Amino acid sequence: RYEKWWLTFGISALIIFLSIVGIQAFHQGHKPPSAKAFVDPERVSETEPFTKPGLHKVQGKDWDYELVIVAAAFSFTPGEVEIPKGAKVKIIATTRDVVHGFEIAGTNVNMMLEPGYISEYVTTFNKTGEFLIICNEYCGTGHHMMSARIKVV
Ligand code: CUA
């Protein structure tokens, strides 16, 4: 009788344990790999650093600039940014609505932007020229038009 009770208890514990592992795996699988922090998607424009999208010089960090980007269907803010050649830049990006992609064509910068998450990537712009930021996650009818420009000068 006791054995039966222990068996039930053991199986229940196992089921609970597996559910927890499963839920965790699901959540981690859901979180974009570049995500470093959380943000309320409905309050992005009131949340630092997204109050001031654009390129900002920073001091005392491992990078020279921070490039703050807000994505929303179907554009990036800012739509155009100039970066000095050789600058080490930390890109800090999020989305106000749905999942968007953030790819700088011709580079290895490729992030997924998910509502609620802040994605980050540190890179150095060593080549002058114009680079296209494109959204590479389908986000709706205007997806193919969603882009921005980086000018490295
Ligand atoms: Cu944004 Cu596709």
Side-chain angles (χ1 to χ4, degrees):
R1 198 167 278 268
Y2 264 121
E3 280 156 12
K4 212 170 186 178
W5 192 87
W6 276 112
L7 193 66
T8 312
F9 176 78
I11 290 169
S12 311
L14 190 68
I15 288 168
I16 291 166
F17 174 74
L18 287 176
S19 315
I20 291 169
V21 170
I23 289 164
Q24 275 178 347
F26 174 78
H27 276 279
Q28 276 167 13
H30 201 63
K31 181 177 173 239
S34 51
K36 294 286 187 288
F38 301 96
V39 62
D40 180 348
E42 285 177 2
R43 305 185 51 127
V44 166
S45 50
E46 303 148 53
T47 310
E48 293 282 339
F50 303 106
T51 47
K52 284 188 217 143
L55 190 73
H56 308 291
K57 183 122 180 82
V58 293
Q59 237 130 58
K61 296 190 176 170
D62 287 339
W63 43 89
D64 313 310
Y65 293 88
E66 287 176 352
L67 175 57
V68 179
I69 300 266
V70 178
F74 300 99
S75 63
F76 296 99
T77 307
E80 194 174 313
V81 65
E82 225 176 73
I83 298 175
K85 187 192 170 196
K88 192 173 179 186
V89 177
K90 183 186 206 177
I91 301 163
I92 305 169
T94 191
T95 161
R96 288 201 283 115
D97 43 33
V98 296
V99 173
H100 295 285
F102 181 99
E103 182 184 349
I104 305 179
T107 73
N108 52 8
V109 181
N110 188 354
M111 300 192 285
M112 192 198 233
L113 310 182
E114 251 192 67
Y117 294 103
I118 299 172
S119 290
E120 297 181 354
Y121 195 94
V122 178
T123 188
T124 304
F125 291 86
N126 282 322
K127 265 193 280 179
T128 54
E130 262 193 39
F131 297 86
L132 206 58
I133 301 173
I134 51 173
C135 175
N136 58 7
E137 294 282 338
Y138 183 74
C139 54
T141 49
H143 163 70
H144 63 285
M145 292 161 26
M146 188 167 168
S147 69
R149 273 190 304 170
I150 289 178
K151 278 186 187 171
V152 182
V153 291

